[in-house]
Amino acid sequence: MNILILGSGGREHALAWKLKQSKRVQKIFIAPGNAGTLTVGKNLPVDSTDFQEIKTICVENLIDLVIVGSETPLVAGIVDFFHHDEVLKGINIIGPDKAGAQLEGSKAFAKIFMNSYHIPTAAHFTVDAGNIEAGIEFLHRQSSPYVLKANGLAAGKGVLILNDLAEAEKELRLMIEGKFGQASSQVVIEQFLDGIELSLFVLTDGESYKILPSAKDYKRVGEGDSGLNTGGMGAVSPVVFADQQFMQKVENQIIKPTLFGLKEQNIHYKGFIFIGLMNVNGDPYVIEYNVRLGDPEAECIIPRINSDFCELMEAAGKGTLSEVELEIDERFAVTIMLVSGGYPGEFKRGKKITGINNTKDCVVFHAGTSTDIEMEGIKTFGGRVIAVTAKDYRLEMARSKALANAEKIIFEGRYFRRDIGLDLLNYVAKN
């Protein structure tokens, strides 16, 4: 089987790394990929939203399966493009159609969807330039902190949580005026939910589903969850407070109603559903949906999947997921993200990376890297550069391994959080 993965981050490297282990896989192509994906497949310098060029790749390389890594091509309608093309419609593609991608592409759509199917979520109000004063009134009825979310895609950075009402009013107006571009021409104001966050991933073929490992993502750039929001500074899987009772509530109150709603609205959905959850006193609430695997959660949960990943993907595409077993590694996985100095603000690219070959007892996933012939090595390209994942039956040991290996990888301006998973260790100690 020949597989094409669309994307260039750590998530796509993790997908390619796992698929490479399957005997079913003949060739893996990654478009555009990074320095890490070169070790498990062939990179193709194609933008994931250039649908015509992707069609050419599929035809020339006899592609059997396409996995869409990031949300942008899904929101742009790549699945619909495949389904309506006479040449491509026979190729399995993992991801929702354009209607389903609105679960991530539009916060307002997601809120309406959740309300329609009685899926627990925070109270909210959608604001645009035409009703901003009504939005301000809703804001005044909330208590601190105040949550503002850009309605559209903002690369994981369109969420503001503010403690001061006057600042929240100011930021709301700035967002409507274009702080996050077109993504914040509409803003969803949300009631703040006080609880513990976790990420849950579901793989569905449109009928049946598999619940993948849970994970806890760490969004803030600074230790102690301080500083600006990022795309993710690390992750831990599984989440120790997501016990069987809590997960039963998630399945009955969120997963099943979500899949029922997708089917009732005739949305074609074969792929991953990322459900951002808040555990509020033992009850689950949906913070957001994503329509693909998270990043860096993918680098954390994929190494815990023992099943043949190609078989899972093939079954999801063909509608035979109920016939496949999902086997999960019982060990903890801890992922630490190494980022460029200045991230998530301005940062410099092209810094030489050393020490990757010195790591052991871990997996190193490339997130924002490229190769440079003149430098004879690997260099930084993105804000999030390298993800280091280590596993162990004890959370503290998985953490120690990940930290020790993260220390070995060096590049100018390198930064990483040293407290990833520490809160979960403290939770275990107290309970």
Side-chain angles (χ1 to χ4, degrees):
M1 177 176 286
N2 295 336
I3 299 175
L4 172 64
I5 301 170
L6 300 179
S8 62
R11 167 183 49 224
E12 288 74 32
H13 186 191
L15 287 165
W17 169 83
K18 186 64 179 176
L19 287 162
K20 182 71 173 177
Q21 298 167 21
S22 173
K23 294 179 180 179
R24 294 168 175 260
V25 176
Q26 185 175 1
K27 294 180 181 178
I28 300 174
F29 301 89
I30 310 96
N34 57 42
T37 57
L38 277 173
T39 65
V40 287
K42 182 178 180 180
N43 288 353
L44 300 170
V46 175
D47 189 283
S48 62
T49 57
D50 188 342
F51 295 172
Q52 288 296 336
E53 189 60 32
I54 290 168
K55 177 180 177 178
T56 300
I57 289 171
C58 289
V59 172
E60 290 181 350
N61 296 286
L62 303 176
I63 298 297
D64 303 293
L65 174 69
V66 176
I67 301 175
V68 186
S70 68
E71 65 277 15
T72 305
L74 292 170
V75 171
I78 189 168
V79 172
D80 306 72
F81 177 79
F82 269 66
H83 290 168
H84 297 146
D85 188 282
E86 286 299 318
V87 176
L88 300 177
K89 66 182 182 181
I91 298 175
N92 278 336
I93 181 165
I94 302 300
D97 61 15
K98 192 170 186 177
Q102 287 186 90
L103 283 178
E104 180 169 0
S106 170
K107 299 288 193 299
F109 173 86
K111 285 293 188 180
I112 293 168
F113 179 89
M114 285 184 266
N115 289 343
S116 298
Y117 296 100
H118 309 291
I119 297 166
T121 190
H124 60 94
F125 188 85
T126 302
V127 186
D128 57 27
N131 69 341
I132 191 164
E133 295 307 321
I136 297 293
E137 286 182 24
F138 180 82
L139 202 56
H140 277 257
R141 293 198 298 272
Q142 305 305 306
S143 55
S144 175
Y146 307 95
V147 182
L148 307 176
K149 293 184 175 181
N151 181 56
L153 299 179
K157 299 168 190 173
V159 178
L160 301 179
I161 301 175
L162 307 161
N163 292 315
D164 182 73
L165 180 59
E167 186 182 5
E169 279 192 41
K170 176 186 173 184
E171 288 293 341
L172 176 61
R173 295 183 189 277
L174 288 173
M175 289 174 77
I176 295 294
E177 290 168 7
K179 178 171 183 171
F180 296 105
Q182 187 60 32
S184 62
S185 60
Q186 277 191 317
V187 175
V188 175
I189 305 170
E190 275 194 6
Q191 170 198 16
F192 179 79
L193 294 175
D194 189 12
I196 314 175
E197 285 190 51
L198 70 150
S199 303
L200 189 71
F201 301 91
V202 176
L203 176 64
T204 181
D205 60 7
E207 292 289 342
S208 59
Y209 61 92
K210 301 289 184 186
I211 300 175
L212 304 180
S214 61
K216 186 179 189 298
D217 180 21
Y218 295 78
K219 285 291 186 191
R220 300 281 188 168
V221 70
E223 293 186 8
D225 288 329
S226 61
L228 296 173
N229 266 346
T230 71
M233 295 294 294
V236 176
S237 177
V239 182
V240 291
F241 58 79
D243 58 22
Q244 187 175 357
Q245 184 180 6
F246 178 79
M247 290 303 297
Q248 194 66 52
K249 289 181 181 179
V250 172
E251 188 166 12
N252 291 332
Q253 298 174 22
I254 295 169
I255 296 174
K256 289 179 179 178
T258 297
L259 295 174
F260 174 82
L262 293 172
K263 193 172 180 181
E264 185 175 74
Q265 295 192 19
N266 294 316
I267 289 172
H268 179 95
Y269 206 118
K270 294 188 176 185
F272 302 103
I273 307 175
F274 169 125
I275 306 173
L277 294 171
M278 185 73 78
N279 180 342
V280 182
N281 298 320
D283 290 319
Y285 288 79
V286 178
I287 304 169
E288 65 175 351
Y289 289 111
N290 288 166
V291 294
R292 35 70 191 185
L293 285 177
D295 190 341
E297 293 100 328
E299 294 95 302
C300 197
I301 69 168
I302 286 176
R304 293 191 61 228
I305 297 174
N306 289 335
S307 305
D308 186 314
F309 203 71
C310 180
E311 185 180 14
L312 283 169
M313 295 297 95
E314 190 178 10
K318 291 184 175 179
T320 58
L321 196 57
S322 61
E323 300 171 16
V324 179
E325 291 296 321
L326 175 63
E327 296 180 7
I328 304 299
D329 190 330
E330 293 180 359
R331 287 177 290 179
F332 285 96
V334 174
T335 299
I336 294 174
M337 187 66 74
L338 282 63
V339 304
S340 297
Y343 175 80
E346 292 185 8
F347 58 87
K348 293 181 179 179
R349 294 177 169 86
K351 303 300 180 183
K352 189 171 183 177
I353 304 169
T354 60
I356 293 176
N357 292 334
N358 297 329
T359 60
K360 62 179 182 179
D361 202 14
C362 71
V363 187
V364 176
F365 295 114
H366 292 236
T369 64
S370 63
T371 54
D372 189 316
I373 296 172
E374 293 179 4
M375 292 178 68
E376 297 181 346
I378 299 167
K379 64 179 182 178
T380 66
F381 186 76
R384 295 188 297 165
V385 180
I386 294 284
V388 176
T389 299
K391 294 189 292 184
D392 197 277
Y393 286 103
R394 292 171 294 171
L395 176 56
E396 61 268 32
M397 287 304 298
R399 246 179 58 81
S400 296
K401 290 178 188 177
L403 284 166
N405 283 291
E407 292 281 5
K408 296 176 183 178
I409 301 172
I410 306 296
F411 54 88
E412 184 183 329
R414 179 208 68 179
Y415 169 75
F416 61 90
R417 281 181 59 172
R418 290 172 168 80
D419 65 341
I420 302 299
L422 190 58
D423 57 333
L424 296 182
L425 264 182
N426 292 335
Y427 178 90
V428 171
K430 290 177 182 178
N431 294 273

